[in-house]
Amino acid sequence: MDDRIIKLMEQTGLEKPEERIDGIWFASQTIDRQKLADSVHKLELRLSTATCLERGDGEFDVLYHFVHGSLALNIRVTTKNQHLPSLAAFLPSASWIEREMNDLYAVEFDGHPDPRPLVRPAQVPAGFFRKSVAESLLKESEAK
Amino acid sequence: MPYKLPLGPLHPAFEEPYKLTLSCKGEIVEDAQVEVGFVMRSIELLAQRRNYIRDLVLVEHVCGICSNVHASTMAMAVEKIGGITVPDRARYIRTIMGELERLHSHLLWAGIGAEDIGYHSMFMEIYFLRERVMDILEAISGNRVNYGMISLGGVTRDITDPKSILAMAEEIKKGLEKVVIPIFTQDKTIIARTKGIGTLSKDDALMYGTVGPLARASGIEEDIRESFPYAAYDDLGFKKVVLDSCDVQARVVVRALEMMESIRLIEEALKNLPSGPIRPEQVPLTIPDGEATARSEAPRGEVFYYVKSNGTDTPARVKIRTPSFVNIPSIRAMVKGQYLADMPLIQASIDPCCSCTDR
Amino acid sequence: MNNWWINAILALLFWPGLLSGALFGWFLLWMSRKFIARLQGRQGPPFYQPFFDFWKLIGKKTIIPNGVNPVLFYALPIIGLISIIFALALLPVPGSSGISFEGDLVLLIYLIEMPVLMDVIAGYVTRSVYAQVGATREAILTIAYNLPFLGALIALAVRLHSFKLATFAAAPISIATILAAVALFVALLAQLKVNPFSIPNAEQEIVAGIHVEYNGLPLALFELTHALETSLLVGLISILFIGPFTSIWMKLLIFFVVAVVVILLTNITAAGTARLKVQHAFKFYWTWGIAATVLVVAAALIL
């Protein structure tokens, strides 16, 4: 396994790495955002993006994708009442990603320094990528 | 007296709509606010409503310039989940398409960069050359912008006559060597306008997570074609271009040298085109349960795809991260203390693509 | 006395004033466009294009931006136009029936500055930030390019012991006149606002700057002023070369040829350069401009 992953595990307390064809996957509920941000910055890992997945029970899985060269690192966290602590407070590159996620899935990031809408047009509600909202919006536009 | 100067959403220097609100003092810019979202089309959501075959066509429309790389990266992710292997000839053709696209995108960027500093003659020269690249793309794929070349497991059309395309590539190479590169690296007015302008330090570049030529001009040694080769880059050998002067001129030079490397890759790939099929005989319509990420180097930087499949013919989630999405916020770090006159050039130097950013 | 008035009106309206000045200016502007187009592999407009541009603008409805004084909005281009017509009438072109008196050079310099001043004011009154930035740039550039421009004219005046333009037109060609022509040419690039000094009207930076809020008739007047300015400034260089010739037709021919050559040189420079920044332009004029001025003065006094 890559040195960076071992160092990252030491510094942030991530455990149980799962190696797959497209990189290393972690799942963690308790990871400290400040430690993670400091650690990835030291190790020159760049935050590629974060993906939001609907779980079906009203909560969301958020996957943080970090990359460095051939190394791809994915960290999965789950929201609690559609809330997550913000990574953007410590890592500027997460700012737009979290703002966009808030627009599309209405996941709230606590402690985000600049929580304005990013891509959402004013006439649609936040979270319009959620299955239920998207379906109803579609029906509405078809009815017109 | 400080004042606010809006650039955009519609502005003569912008290719696409986005808004920069500059706080200026005289001709000095003190801060900038970036706003995007003017061309949002919800492509990620649409992709979750179509099957994989239609999705490849859909994601091509994320960007009008780097369309091929989106389809090929999506295909890479789906191929990873489905365990589909791509035949050698298709890998080479994908590489050729990718590099032609880079050439066409960098030339487009160079033209717009020249236009932004009022160098119309250069703009005309470069667009003339770009027209030749589009002729090649048309000869190969039948299309000039959205090529429709990628299918699951391979490509849709074969290159039947590599020799004629080699000859066309030779013509472009001459144009690059004689006109574009000398002017961009030696012309006095261009150097006066680009040197030491819009500096993005390596630390800032890392903080903002910038990718592509922008990152490589700030000394970040990252090119996925070299560090994690896909398509045929492993076979062809690839040398990345990294500079550490961090200014607009470095970005110009990185792109200029990348164009030369692209031409070399295209010629190499055309000369060594392996024989064989261009796609597997049977491509499954449904993809098994699973999730995968895929990355490839678009002209503007690294494209990232995450695809989750639920065993049907429709993906459960497609996440697209385009290079401009991480590059555009870094404008803020570049503009502080710069002259207003440099703003069009600084924003152009990252090659912002708003259709990509908003999706 | 009656004769003097007729001559003055002829000079103002026909030769070298409004009518011929506009035609000559449009011709020169068309030549620039055509020449640049051919250099860039484009077709370029037909020769009557500048006239059509002007005519089209006149036919358009004029919209006065909110909060702008309409009198001022119209008065600025009119004042600029009138001053440039008077300046043209002073130009001692061959065959001019014009007004000529000792000291007309000083008046000419004042009149040439008027449209520039009107431009700057227009930039400020139209309440657009782009126009204001453009106006600031134009004001800064004026200070820069006037150095070689005034330097060359004053040096020539010192050499010829006269502030009368007719003396300039009659003077023999010497090293001093050639150097003065070069200095005037250097200033001309910024006066015509072409590359690399197309700074106040930079389209990509400040959306064409000063005239961004102007439209319709007032814009047409500004464009006409620009055409007249072109013929005046180019003509000013041309008259330095017509001295040695006696026949009026020969004089006219040389005047015309020099003007065309000057315009072509301007456009070769414009086509081969990118736009500089204000501080670059300022530095250029205050180093090379001073060098040119010193040379002209030295040549005027010594040679």
Side-chain angles (χ1 to χ4, degrees):
Chain A
M1 203 184 297
D2 200 285
D3 293 352
R4 290 182 205 281
I5 299 285
I6 297 166
K7 274 192 194 142
L8 187 83
M9 283 163 65
E10 278 167 13
Q11 285 165 5
T12 59
L14 283 170
E15 47 193 10
K16 289 188 218 144
E18 184 191 344
E19 267 186 272
R20 292 196 212 159
I21 177 172
D22 57 345
I24 318 269
W25 292 70
F26 287 100
S28 166
Q29 227 21 264
T30 50
I31 184 159
D32 186 278
R33 298 301 194 276
Q34 170 127 45
K35 272 187 191 159
L36 179 64
D38 290 348
S39 171
V40 293
H41 188 64
K42 252 183 254 157
L43 298 171
E44 296 200 358
L45 283 163
R46 288 172 299 120
L47 177 61
S48 190
T49 191
T51 309
C52 188
L53 298 171
E54 264 187 297
R55 284 168 64 93
D57 57 359
E59 295 299 335
F60 296 86
D61 273 347
V62 174
L63 312 177
Y64 287 100
H65 308 282
F66 292 94
V67 293
H68 178 92
S70 62
L71 179 73
L73 167 79
N74 308 283
I75 301 171
R76 184 188 298 264
V77 293
T78 309
T79 56
K80 218 177 243 170
N81 299 327
Q82 291 134 35
H83 277 257
L84 269 184
S86 168
L87 184 59
F90 313 106
L91 200 63
S93 55
S95 172
W96 276 28
I97 296 165
E98 290 182 352
R99 277 169 69 186
E100 191 196 41
M101 214 180 289
N102 183 262
D103 287 347
L104 305 184
Y105 286 97
V107 175
E108 296 287 339
F109 288 92
D110 303 323
H112 193 289
D114 182 22
R116 290 173 300 150
L118 182 74
V119 293
R120 177 165 59 89
Q123 62 267 31
V124 297
F128 64 105
F129 266 34
R130 289 183 181 185
K131 221 164 218 157
S132 52
V133 183
E135 292 294 330
S136 70
L137 279 176
L138 207 70
K139 260 183 208 147
E140 223 173 84
S141 74
E142 272 167 6
K144 273 178 199 166
Chain B
M1 184 184 65
Y3 62 98
K4 280 204 156 83
L5 186 88
L7 289 189
L10 303 171
H11 189 274
F14 292 179
E15 300 158 67
E16 285 174 87
Y18 78 114
K19 192 174 175 186
L20 280 177
T21 310
L22 307 171
S23 316
C24 307
K25 211 171 190 180
E27 283 246 348
I28 308 281
V29 177
E30 293 185 321
D31 198 5
Q33 287 290 333
V34 191
E35 280 169 61
V36 296
F38 297 94
V39 280
M40 199 209 177
R41 295 152 294 162
S42 310
I43 284 185
E44 287 176 11
L45 187 67
L46 295 174
Q48 281 142 235
R49 311 175 64 85
R50 285 164 162 76
N51 64 29
Y52 287 100
I53 295 166
R54 292 177 66 199
D55 269 350
L56 286 182
V57 181
L58 177 72
V59 293
E60 267 200 334
H61 294 75
V62 167
C63 180
I65 298 159
C66 44
S67 51
N68 180 70
V69 77
H70 284 281
S72 68
T73 317
M74 167 110 185
M76 274 161 63
V78 178
E79 283 152 10
K80 267 185 201 163
I81 307 173
I84 307 165
T85 41
V86 183
D88 282 349
R89 194 175 174 87
R91 283 197 296 123
Y92 272 71
I93 295 176
R94 279 187 185 182
T95 312
I96 293 168
M97 287 304 288
E99 291 307 314
L100 279 171
E101 188 176 68
R102 185 178 327 278
L103 215 51
H104 140 68
S105 170
H106 280 0
L107 283 172
L108 179 121
W109 168 83
I112 288 169
E115 171 75 17
D116 281 349
I117 47 175
Y119 206 155
H120 302 286
S121 316
M122 196 61 209
F123 169 82
M124 295 301 290
E125 284 286 340
I126 290 168
Y127 266 51
F128 181 74
L129 211 55
R130 174 171 169 264
E131 207 56 32
R132 296 279 84 80
V133 181
M134 291 175 86
D135 286 346
I136 301 190
L137 284 164
E138 194 181 358
I140 294 177
S141 68
N143 294 310
R144 290 164 69 82
V145 179
N146 287 328
Y147 317 106
M149 277 292 277
I150 308 292
S151 70
L152 272 190
V155 290
T156 51
R157 284 167 68 128
D158 201 359
I159 296 181
T160 44
D161 185 12
K163 280 223 176 83
S164 72
I165 289 165
L166 261 175
M168 286 159 100
E170 187 65 28
E171 194 192 328
I172 293 166
K173 191 179 181 179
K174 268 189 204 142
L176 280 177
E177 274 171 352
K178 279 193 187 142
V179 183
V180 179
I181 289 173
I183 290 193
F184 268 109
T185 48
Q186 286 158 24
D187 186 280
K188 282 215 171 78
T189 41
I190 287 196
I191 291 175
R193 285 304 300 270
T194 56
K195 202 167 181 119
I197 302 298
T199 324
L200 180 73
S201 67
K202 188 177 176 181
D203 207 45
D204 275 346
L206 266 177
M207 274 300 230
Y208 281 97
T210 55
V211 291
L214 174 63
R216 288 195 284 281
S218 288
I220 296 179
E221 305 222 357
E222 179 93 272
D223 193 319
I224 190 119
R225 288 173 289 173
E226 190 184 75
S227 56
F228 191 41
Y230 56 98
Y233 290 108
D234 220 1
D235 310 359
L236 296 169
F238 173 75
K239 269 186 133 175
K240 61 174 180 277
V241 186
V242 180
L243 289 180
D244 52 7
S245 47
C246 305
D247 54 0
V248 173
Q249 203 200 9
R251 286 162 219 155
V252 172
V253 174
V254 164
R255 286 196 177 91
L257 297 179
E258 270 187 14
M259 285 195 265
M260 292 313 288
E261 181 69 12
S262 286
I263 277 277
R264 189 190 70 78
L265 283 168
I266 292 165
E267 286 181 340
E268 202 91 334
L270 281 168
K271 280 178 195 153
N272 304 320
L273 204 59
S275 54
I278 54 165
R279 56 175 175 267
E281 300 225 326
Q282 204 74 47
V283 178
L285 283 177
T286 58
I287 301 296
D289 227 343
E291 57 183 345
T293 59
R295 292 188 282 152
S296 57
E297 187 77 18
R300 297 182 167 83
E302 193 178 298
V303 167
F304 179 97
Y305 266 71
Y306 168 88
V307 178
K308 185 181 168 68
S309 126
N310 54 6
T312 62
D313 64 347
T314 312
R317 176 87 172 97
V318 178
K319 169 74 191 173
I320 307 166
R321 201 299 309 274
T322 55
S324 294
F325 191 86
V326 282
N327 284 351
I328 287 181
S330 72
I331 290 179
R332 215 175 151 199
M334 289 179 216
V335 299
K336 283 180 189 164
Q338 300 285 327
Y339 284 92
L340 179 61
D342 291 325
M343 282 309 114
L345 190 63
I346 290 176
Q347 67 82 26
S349 76
I350 68 160
D351 202 359
C353 174
C354 302
S355 305
C356 283
T357 309
D358 302 347
R359 282 152 290 133
Chain C
M1 198 62 203
N2 230 353
N3 221 0
W4 190 90
W5 278 109
I6 291 169
N7 278 344
I9 286 167
L10 273 178
L12 280 173
L13 293 183
F14 296 105
W15 177 255
L18 181 61
L19 184 70
S20 53
L23 291 178
F24 189 52
W26 281 336
F27 173 74
L28 292 178
L29 289 177
W30 164 75
M31 251 192 26
S32 338
R33 286 169 69 176
K34 185 81 179 172
F35 184 62
I36 285 196
R38 296 311 294 159
L39 280 182
Q40 295 176 347
R42 290 185 286 121
Q43 197 55 44
F47 74 91
Y48 44 78
Q49 190 64 47
F51 170 72
F52 276 2
D53 290 349
F54 174 72
W55 197 245
K56 185 195 80 174
L57 279 176
I58 283 192
K60 287 207 163 189
K61 189 183 160 198
T62 305
I63 299 161
I64 299 172
N66 259 349
V68 176
N69 185 345
V71 177
L72 204 56
F73 194 71
Y74 280 100
L76 291 171
I78 292 173
I79 297 172
L81 182 65
I82 290 174
S83 2
I84 207 76
I85 293 173
F86 273 90
L88 256 180
L90 290 175
L91 198 66
V93 292
S96 161
S97 57
I99 319 135
S100 185
F101 49 87
E102 188 59 47
D104 56 2
L105 175 67
V106 181
L107 180 59
L108 180 91
I109 289 171
Y110 271 108
L111 289 173
I112 285 177
E113 281 312 303
M114 278 307 277
V116 180
L117 188 63
M118 292 306 123
D119 261 359
V120 174
I121 298 174
Y124 278 108
V125 298
T126 47
R127 299 172 27 116
S128 156
V129 268
Y130 300 115
Q132 285 171 9
V133 174
T136 321
R137 290 178 174 192
E138 170 124 22
I140 293 171
L141 215 53
T142 314
I143 301 171
Y145 68 68
N146 266 330
L147 189 73
F149 182 71
L150 296 180
L153 289 179
I154 292 167
L156 273 184
V158 169
R159 180 183 173 81
L160 302 170
H161 306 292
S162 164
F163 273 96
K164 194 174 175 184
L165 279 162
T167 339
F168 280 42
I173 300 174
S174 64
I175 295 174
T177 36
I178 292 172
L179 280 174
V182 170
L184 290 181
F185 174 75
V186 170
L188 182 73
L189 291 173
Q191 283 168 321
L192 293 184
K193 302 195 196 79
V194 295
N195 263 355
F197 305 111
S198 59
I199 300 165
N201 57 350
E203 187 198 345
Q204 292 81 7
E205 289 163 20
I206 46 173
V207 207
I210 294 166
H211 299 151
V212 67
E213 291 290 347
Y214 268 89
N215 54 67
L217 181 67
L219 182 61
L221 294 180
F222 268 129
E223 294 295 320
L224 181 62
T225 313
H226 182 63
L228 293 173
E229 235 180 332
T230 309
S231 34
L232 174 66
L233 295 168
V234 173
L236 198 59
I237 299 180
S238 285
I239 58 156
L240 297 180
F241 294 92
I242 57 171
F245 304 95
T246 42
S247 136
I248 186 163
W249 295 111
M250 198 60 200
K251 277 184 189 237
L252 269 179
L253 182 71
I254 295 295
F255 180 82
F256 193 74
V257 168
V258 173
V260 168
V261 169
V262 166
I263 276 291
L264 291 188
L265 285 176
T266 316
N267 286 304
I268 289 175
T269 320
T273 47
R275 179 185 305 118
L276 291 173
K277 279 186 282 182
V278 163
Q279 63 268 37
H280 289 147
F282 205 85
K283 209 174 146 197
F284 173 86
Y285 278 114
W286 279 68
T287 46
W288 296 108
I290 284 186
T293 315
V294 168
L295 268 181
V296 178
V297 172
L301 294 178
I302 298 159
L303 293 173

